[in-house]
Structure formats: C-alpha cells, structure tokens
Amino acid sequence: SWTKQWPTGEAWVYIALVVAALGTRLWDLGGRTLHYDEILHAWYSWRFAEGMGYSHTPLTHGPFLFHGAALSFKFFGSSDVTVRLLPALFGAGLVMTPYLLRSYLGNVGTLATSLFLAASPSILYFSRFIRNDIFMAVWALLLFAIMWKYMKEPSTRLLVAWATIWALAYTTKESAFLLMASFSLFLFIKASRDIWDWARGAKRLSS
C-alpha cells in the first residue's frame, strides 16, 4: 500500500517539497511580460485553441507544446498565466522524478536531487517559461529512470513506457535526436561485450 511504500516522515518532506515547487512556479506566473519565443508559442497556441488550425513548422519545434497550451486555453481561458501553466506543472513534476531512482540513489541522494531541482534558478526559470526545455528535461529523466530500471528488471510494461516517452520527446523538440544519440552511445558501450560475442558467433540474439 501507499503507506507502506512511503515512511510517514519522508512522505511529508516530499509533499512539502512539491507544494513549495508548485508555489514558486505558480506564484505571479503572469507577472512577467512574454518573451519573444513565448509570444510565438502563445500566438499559435491561441489560434489553435480558437479553431484556426495548427500547421507544424520547424521554426517553433514540435507540436506537443502547442497542443498542451491550446488545451490549457480551452479549459482555463487565454492569458499569460494559462499559457505558462503546463511548463509550471511540468517543473513541479520534475522535482519528483528522482523518486523513480530511489533504490539506486538512496533516501538521502533522492531527497537531495529533488531539493536541488526544486531550488535550481535555471530549472525554476524554464518552469515559468512557455518553451520546450522543461518538457524535454522531464522526458530525459523519465527515460533515464526507465532505462535503468529495465536493465535491472526487464518487463514489457517498461518497454511500453519507454516507447511512449520517446514518442512524446520526438513531438516536443528536435533535441530528442541528440538525447537518443546519448542514450544509444551508453547502451552500445554497456552491451559492447555481448555485441562482440554475437558478432563472432559465440552468443545468439535470443535463446
């Protein structure tokens, strides 16, 4: 059960951390004038929300941002706050992603990582900025957690999650290609001995 997985004291620490992260990301969210990039994203999202359609262009990266912001406009109305709402929620969610690596980072390491993500000025800034950066940060950490978990405990469920997050990453920004290259290099090095054994006929791809 949830109470068995989360020690009471630790649970309250994480709850307080997420509440603080939400507070810093949502406080006066519309107080700052939209940046040039934000204006482009807000404009095309608003047009999409108003039924004027959406046409992908590499100038503004992937469609995930525009679909998310348009949905926010539909539910909460069009404003500087609502256009930044999804990044703010992702920024708060990012604080909790280290928990997925808790068995590897340990209790102290996990809490410290979450605390650093919550307090980081750069992470905070991009959590209040309608651009693709914070989305990609969440996808990257989720992919890392899934990959690490799969290497220890392979399962179909993790493969489905892996494919789903990659699909979202590729619809978010072109930097997903660089992210894929980084993961591929690591996995290639990790599997290099098995690949060599397979290449010289000493190991089969499947049993």
Side-chain angles (χ1 to χ4, degrees):
S1 66
W2 187 86
T3 53
K4 290 181 180 179
Q5 294 175 351
W6 290 67
T8 303
E10 186 181 8
W12 282 111
V13 171
Y14 277 101
I15 290 170
L17 195 57
V18 171
V19 169
L22 277 170
T24 56
R25 283 146 179 79
L26 294 175
W27 178 78
D28 196 26
L29 192 57
R32 180 171 50 84
T33 303
L34 290 177
H35 181 280
Y36 172 73
D37 284 351
E38 291 186 290
I39 291 172
L40 287 177
H41 298 153
W43 170 246
Y44 290 119
S45 298
W46 178 81
R47 286 176 56 87
F48 188 28
E50 293 297 311
M52 288 179 258
Y54 167 75
S55 180
H56 170 67
T57 167
L59 178 67
T60 50
H61 307 297
F64 178 85
L65 179 152
F66 299 97
H67 284 72
L71 192 64
S72 181
F73 284 160
K74 279 291 187 182
F75 277 104
F76 306 111
S78 304
S79 70
D80 290 0
V81 173
T82 54
V83 77
R84 290 170 173 154
L85 182 59
L86 194 60
L89 296 177
F90 264 70
L94 183 66
V95 173
M96 283 303 298
T97 54
Y99 188 79
L100 298 174
L101 294 163
R102 187 166 174 259
S103 59
Y104 311 110
L105 294 175
N107 294 346
V108 175
T110 302
L111 185 58
T113 305
S114 292
L115 182 61
F116 291 148
L117 288 172
S120 166
S122 298
I123 296 295
L124 176 60
Y125 178 81
F126 285 107
S127 297
R128 297 166 56 86
F129 195 89
I130 180 61
R131 232 176 67 155
N132 314 80
D133 310 86
I134 196 65
F135 304 139
M136 288 303 300
V138 171
W139 303 147
L141 280 178
L142 287 178
L143 287 166
F144 182 81
I146 293 169
M147 178 187 70
W148 209 255
K149 179 74 171 177
Y150 186 84
M151 288 192 297
K152 305 294 182 181
E153 302 172 29
S155 72
T156 302
R157 176 176 56 86
L158 288 173
L159 285 178
V160 171
W162 173 261
T164 301
I165 300 300
W166 272 118
L168 291 170
Y170 276 110
T171 62
T172 300
K173 197 174 182 182
E174 298 85 346
S175 55
F177 291 100
L178 296 176
L179 190 62
M180 173 60 84
S182 300
F183 276 91
S184 297
L185 179 60
F186 171 79
L187 291 172
F188 180 81
I189 294 171
K190 179 75 174 175
S192 57
R193 183 170 182 176
D194 291 328
I195 293 172
W196 170 246
D197 288 342
W198 168 77
R200 62 191 181 90
K203 178 175 288 191
R204 299 176 61 185
L205 288 177
S206 61
S207 57

